[in-house]
Amino acid sequence: MEIRPFLMEDVPAVVALWNREATRYDYRPLTEQEFVATFIQHRYSDERCLWVGCTEHGLVGFAAGVTGDDLPLGEVAGYITTVIIDADAASPARYDAFLTSLEQRFRELGKTQAEVLFFNPVKLRWRIPGAPQHEHNNAPGICKELPLYDALLARGYVDRATQCGMYLRLGSFIIPEALLSKEARAHQQGYAVTTYAPERHTGLEATLAALHNPQWEREVAVHVKAGVPLVVAVYGNEVVGFAGPIIVEADGRAFFCGIGVHPEHEGQGLGSVLFFRMVEAFQAADAHYITLFTGSTNPALRIYQQAGFTIEKQFSILRREL
């Protein structure tokens, strides 16, 4: 197999390869326009992080990575997005050759590690195996079923954590009695969970700042200003936690930025109350389903499962020092 830089004339063959091979592992099929937008026109696209593999039978492989000093870990790390090889042409040596090409580019840019991580800005959508009409907007790592996973391990990548892709079909969600009891105890301590009302509630900006998540600070503020509903925990009239905002995408998927509780108000059970009330709010807003991902060791996993979420796929986070 000859590995060479990707050319725009390769788009039809690479899209055909993607739709033949990646979809076996529940990745969403792509149109040529979607492929170009995802891999070529992306602001972090690097033409020297895009490779194809060819044999006498034509194009049989595609590899992509991204870099950017302003990405999380970006000063030291390059991100591997995907390596896809036709099943009839695949071999460990060919996966290794693609990874060598990506890593060499990372080294040229002064990177000292290669990452497979959910901070990768290229979002690869995947479909829920049991409900293919529903999908999640990002693959938070490498699907463990992909041949690439074994190739990464063989090359010395360390499997650092497992991310669980979670799914809940809405329509019959009911808040359990145990959660209502927890909410009642929090209420006795002066807390309430409700919908944010800017004319009545204060402290949202301070709570967001205390959570040290710049993305939440930016996105929640924009949505609230636009009038999008937000579930909040309040102490008196002061916002001490949030969940949401309540955004329903065109396909019926519930989308939210996050959930957080001010550090000074942790230990009251507010996180789980916020989450369940958020799910209830999505159902009331006619969302059809919710997807999310969380670490396999995250205590929140139990809360999600109590709400009825199922683990649909598992993804690995990996790293190799270069």
Side-chain angles (χ1 to χ4, degrees):
M1 180 179 70
E2 174 198 4
I3 293 180
R4 62 166 173 79
F6 168 87
L7 303 172
M8 284 302 295
E9 64 195 48
D10 296 320
V11 169
V14 174
V15 169
L17 172 69
W18 179 272
N19 291 343
R20 185 172 65 251
E21 297 296 335
T23 56
R24 296 187 185 192
Y25 305 97
D26 301 305
Y27 289 92
R28 178 188 178 186
L30 298 173
T31 64
E32 292 185 13
Q33 182 178 6
E34 289 170 336
F35 171 83
V36 170
T38 300
F39 290 101
I40 312 304
Q41 296 176 340
H42 196 284
R43 62 171 293 199
Y44 290 103
S45 179
D46 178 350
E47 63 181 12
R48 296 182 63 188
C49 280
L50 296 170
W51 301 87
V52 295
C54 302
T55 69
E56 65 275 15
H57 301 295
L59 190 149
V60 298
F62 172 69
V66 294
T67 62
D69 289 347
D70 59 337
L71 292 172
L73 305 178
E75 292 186 359
V76 298
Y79 286 99
I80 294 172
T81 303
T82 190
V83 179
I84 294 290
I85 303 178
D86 187 286
D88 293 332
S91 70
R94 288 176 171 176
Y95 276 102
D96 204 57
F98 271 125
L99 292 170
T100 297
S101 297
L102 290 172
E103 291 172 3
Q104 179 59 36
R105 177 56 175 163
F106 296 161
R107 290 191 184 94
E108 289 174 359
L109 295 173
K111 311 306 180 185
T112 58
Q113 61 197 48
E115 293 277 352
V116 177
L117 186 60
F118 47 74
F119 288 133
N120 188 324
V122 178
K123 308 302 183 185
L124 301 180
R125 302 180 76 94
W126 56 278
R127 291 177 165 176
I128 307 303
Q133 74 276 22
H134 294 162
E135 59 185 41
H136 188 65
N137 66 338
N138 182 29
I142 290 294
C143 171
K144 290 179 180 286
E145 303 163 13
L146 272 176
L148 175 58
Y149 175 69
D150 291 330
L152 290 165
L153 294 180
R155 193 169 173 81
Y157 281 74
V158 177
D159 189 337
R160 301 173 58 228
T162 295
Q163 294 290 320
C164 300
M166 313 287 292
Y167 170 75
L168 174 68
R169 185 188 296 271
L170 294 173
S172 58
F173 174 78
I174 299 175
I175 293 181
E177 287 296 327
L179 191 283
L180 294 175
S181 297
K182 180 178 289 189
E183 186 175 35
R185 290 194 295 271
H187 187 73
Q188 291 174 354
Q189 299 300 316
Y191 296 96
V193 173
T194 185
T195 301
Y196 178 65
E199 71 279 4
R200 187 170 74 252
H201 298 139
T202 62
L204 175 61
E205 295 82 2
T207 288
L208 290 171
L211 296 172
H212 302 294
N213 187 316
Q215 182 177 354
W216 288 353
E217 287 190 73
R218 292 192 305 270
E219 295 185 2
V220 172
V222 168
H223 291 304
V224 166
K225 186 176 181 179
V228 179
L230 182 73
V231 179
V232 292
V234 295
Y235 187 72
N237 288 326
E238 181 186 2
V239 174
V240 297
F242 86 97
I246 307 302
I247 301 168
V248 181
E249 296 181 328
D251 69 343
R253 176 177 177 264
F255 173 80
F256 61 98
C257 298
I259 300 172
V261 176
H262 194 294
E264 295 179 2
H265 295 268
E266 293 177 342
Q268 304 294 332
L270 296 175
S272 56
V273 176
L274 280 165
F275 178 75
F276 277 78
R277 288 300 182 188
M278 181 188 71
V279 174
E280 181 183 59
F282 274 120
Q283 183 164 269
D286 292 328
H288 299 162
Y289 68 104
I290 303 178
T291 60
L292 53 85
F293 67 86
T294 191
S296 61
T297 60
N298 188 337
L301 178 64
R302 185 173 62 87
I303 296 174
Y304 300 146
Q305 290 176 319
Q306 288 174 344
F309 282 78
T310 56
I311 298 174
E312 294 293 326
K313 291 187 83 68
Q314 292 188 322
F315 301 84
S316 285
I317 292 171
L318 303 102
R319 173 183 294 170
R320 182 175 186 241
E321 304 295 332
L322 301 179

